[in-house]
Amino acid sequence: MKKILTVLILMAFGYLANAQTMNKEEIKTKVDQLVSQLTLEEKASLCSGRDDWSTKPVDRLDIPWIWVSDGPHGLRRAPKTNVPGYGDQLPATCFPTASALAATWDLDLINKVGQALGEECQALDVNVLLGPGVNIKRSVLGGRNFEFFSEDPILSGELGAAFINGVQSQGVGTSLKHYVANNVETMRMWMNSDVDTRTLHEIYLRPFEIAVKKSQPWTVMACYNRVQGIYGSQSPYLLTDILKKDWGFDGIVISDWFAVVDRVEGVKAGMHIEMPGVSLVNDSLIVEAVKNGTLDEAVLDNLVKEILTIVLKAKSLEKEGVDQNIDTHHKLARQVAAESATLLKNEDEVLPLSKEKYKKIAIIGEFAANPRFQGNGSSEVKPTQLDNVLDMLEKEQGKNFKISYAQGYDLANDNNFLMIEEAREAAEKADIALVFAGLPLHYESEGIDRTHINMPPSHNKLISEIAAVQKNTVVVLTNGSAITMPWVDEVPAILETWLGGQAGAGATLDVLFGKVNPSGKLAETFPVKLEDTPSFFNFPGEQGEVLYGERMFVGYRYYDEKNIEPLFPFGFGLSYTNFEYADIKVSADNFTDNEGLTVSVKIKNTGKVKGKEVVQLYVSDKESTLIRPEKELKKFAKIALEPGESASLDFKLDARDFSYYDARRKMWIAESGAFTINLGSSSRDLRQSAEVNLQSTQKVPLAFDEYTFFRAYWDNLQTREFLKELLPKWIANFVPQGKALDEAQFNDFMIDHPMIKFPYISNGEISAAQIKELAERCKELTFTP
Ligand code: BGC
């Protein structure tokens, strides 16, 4: 009877898992009650997982547990929460990996992928999907590049937000990872990302900032690496100051798997849950720290409240009987893969394939029969079905064409050239050869970086040999990240299909046969050679340190600045039609940072088939106090147009789109002056431009101190008065006869010294204490940049 009564009471308060959907207020009330009832040991226990994939419950108070699971491009759900789930995971739709998703540049589509993933999570009882990864592809060698979106922070952040909003619309959480500057796999548990603060904000934090502000992920995953010397899983600067205070993140931080080093420091910094839950050692350290006074219990209470808020929210949004919808999702996976396919070359309109042009098709390369569709590591999904080009071609086009196949290479031996002869004969006898080549699975993996960006020698040789006998040779590439193409001038057509997921084969055929007009654009630069890449001298780093020496000149920012011609530039991708850009208009030639700017442009499909164009907007600062990239992507939009159709696009730019991050003042600054707005079809194909003038209204702290040069104090008319007051005699030495102090003519050497030296430079006219006071007086002063 007593038990029944307890259950009824608990139900009345909504304490039981799955009891009802709760609103924010109800969750808050309940969480406060629960935390007041938890013992110290129970609170500490909630700060780590129960096992591989779940959080800890507290049975005494009916606190439920939730299920978290990889991620990102499909669900890798283990059969139980306490097994790793490699090989025995439940089948789920394997969508194209992040580099392919990014090549779509299509936020609505990525949102749909997110929704589908959310549905699958609901169907398979998963509460939080571990993704997306918005780390910047700093080096082409990064082993996990296939799992990340782009080299550009805006593109990565926007895609991340669209993905998260999609998943979370289904009542399932996400884990935005890996926060932050996790750009190398070598020694990933120790590596220190030695990145300067400005670059950290402008490039590496930016995608996280966009995703947090636009989509509030339920969880953020703290990285393995150190950032500016401190582990990401215990950095107060990253986890509290930036994530929580600056960006307003209201979810919880979970550690990457085994990323925790000093658990108590992690709690203090705002790292909520250690994953996975393998031992209780760290829980007891938390208890001990509270008992010995090194950890304030109120800090722990806050973390636990935030943990329970997410746990209860997740439970209250669980849905019963959701269908995994595998057929619909397979179709969506095919659609996304087709949208991601990036046509890099198409001379003489070799593509699309048609019955009128070709009768006999030679399919060459084992990837056509045995597709490489995803990357290696924790993101590996067990697909619900796996299509291959050979079978699908036979099924969909078998009656229209005579199809032959040759394996071409040996996936187990990169230097086996024995299969080339047979492939060459097949190519010679056909009207067109489609060579499926790229990177074998072991080339791209979590946990290891690449040491070069070449395809296996057997693939490269195969392509050259086929091209020598067949003028209509189309290379169809499968790879998760940039590669070199020594044969680029030998073949008329190249189609990049990335790691296209379980339905990639059908998508490739859709594009090859023109059912889908290719509209993918590179989200990463393809260099001619590894030596051309921005981090060439600083990757993967050494002795636990990786210096981000190229600073904000990552990807196209670097190639632009150094005038290096890439193999294929950022933002590039061809179509079977053409687009014309015209009529750029800006809302004002002169505008303030508060007003912002609207830019519009007209795009017309001038070809014979319908198609989609990704319109890219880049901003260039013409004159800047700090060094800035030649241009930076700020906006983009994908637009579908019928032949002859045109449409106008509007882009709204705000102050941030013109700003740099001032590390000294810890703020974003939009400086007054001239900017160029460029609209283009790629970063190297700018079609329309406008010059505008920004008048800043910002009040920026002067930030003068004892180390600021005399020159700066003198050049500023406010602080010049202080100098005239404090150093009249010394200044007078530089004043031509009969002139006022203001007309002093200093020689450069004398005034390019920090003020701190002036007690002796002025021979005692000013004291060290007065210089301190001077700096103090300047604290309140501002200027308009
Ligand atoms: C990876 C994460 C992944 C986690 C769980 C880690 O090794 O870095 O991306 O979510 O494992 O599998």
Side-chain angles (χ1 to χ4, degrees), residues 53 70 76 144 177-178 188 221 224 256 378 446:
W53 308 113
D70 283 311
R76 183 171 69 85
R144 282 183 102 167
K177 63 192 188 182
H178 311 87
R188 65 178 175 161
M221 190 185 290
Y224 286 128
D256 199 345
S378 63
E446 178 179 338

Side-chain angles (χ1 to χ4, degrees), residues 197 204 234 301 367 380 399 436 467 559 565 606 694 706:
T197 303
Y204 297 97
Q234 59 191 61
D301 286 356
F367 283 156
E380 262 181 75
K399 54 181 184 319
F436 290 80
Y559 298 88
E565 200 56 44
T606 55
L694 168 67
E706 293 111 293

